[in-house]
Amino acid sequence: MHGPASSGWLLVALCTVTGAYCLARMRSGAEGQRSAAGGEALMGFGMAAMAVPAAVFTPPSWAWPVYAAVFGAAGVHALWAARAGAHHLHHLVGAAAMVYMSLVMAGSPAHAHGRGGSGVPLLTGALLLYFAGYVLLTGVRLVPVAAVAGGGGAAGWGDRPELARACRLSMGIAMVAMLLTL
């Protein structure tokens, strides 16, 4: 992504840790936790790969269409899963945002990395509004769960709803940062 290397590395770290936690959630005893964790892990690791500063590693030209194809397939899966619950529509929007960012990065020349200003401003703005709203809503929803969860029993790492929401919140924040630097 465009932008300074230090913020890129912070995004890489945030998204990698989030993706790793989502992998741990896949081992949860709760079906609701497991069902979304795989897609969220893919999103976290994909965002981490896209956030690596271009000064350190510039992906080959074929990598961006591969990212677009992988997240396009994730979007189709999210659309299919949305039949069971509307919460999967957020995964669809996230996958579409990743496809969009991949296509923008594929279309920008290597020397333009770090300058910003790529992409379709209207679509970028709409995605920014969506994810900023999502971050605010998720943050508000996280506060009561964290206050109530303190008195609960010993739940496994993958079964803690406040950690799953914090995971989604961090990915939403990372998405906002990536869209801002697009």
Side-chain angles (χ1 to χ4, degrees):
M1 299 306 306
H2 306 297
S6 59
S7 62
W9 286 120
L10 288 172
L11 278 172
V12 169
L14 175 70
C15 294
T16 301
V17 168
T18 301
Y21 174 69
C22 290
L23 282 179
R25 281 185 33 229
M26 289 179 69
R27 298 184 56 174
S28 170
E31 176 62 31
Q33 292 288 332
R34 286 193 314 260
S35 66
E40 291 171 357
L42 174 68
M43 186 69 69
F45 290 129
M47 290 170 66
M50 287 180 79
V52 172
V56 175
F57 175 72
T58 302
S61 60
W62 57 264
W64 299 115
V66 169
Y67 284 145
V70 167
F71 286 106
V76 169
H77 181 268
L79 184 61
W80 183 259
R83 296 176 309 122
H87 65 278
H88 292 284
L89 292 175
H90 170 70
H91 295 161
L92 177 63
V93 174
M98 293 295 284
V99 168
Y100 169 66
M101 288 189 291
S102 298
L103 294 175
V104 168
M105 295 304 287
S108 66
H111 60 80
H113 288 247
R115 293 187 185 178
S118 299
V120 179
L122 185 62
L123 184 53
T124 303
L127 289 169
L128 275 169
L129 282 174
Y130 173 81
F131 282 104
Y134 179 80
V135 164
L136 292 172
L137 183 62
T138 303
V140 168
R141 288 181 178 169
L142 182 63
V143 173
V145 172
V148 172
W157 281 98
D159 296 328
R160 306 222 9 221
E162 73 276 9
L163 289 178
R165 285 187 178 145
C167 171
R168 293 180 190 116
L169 177 65
S170 65
M171 282 198 293
I173 292 168
M175 187 66 80
V176 168
M178 290 174 75
L179 286 165
L180 284 172
T181 61
L182 187 63

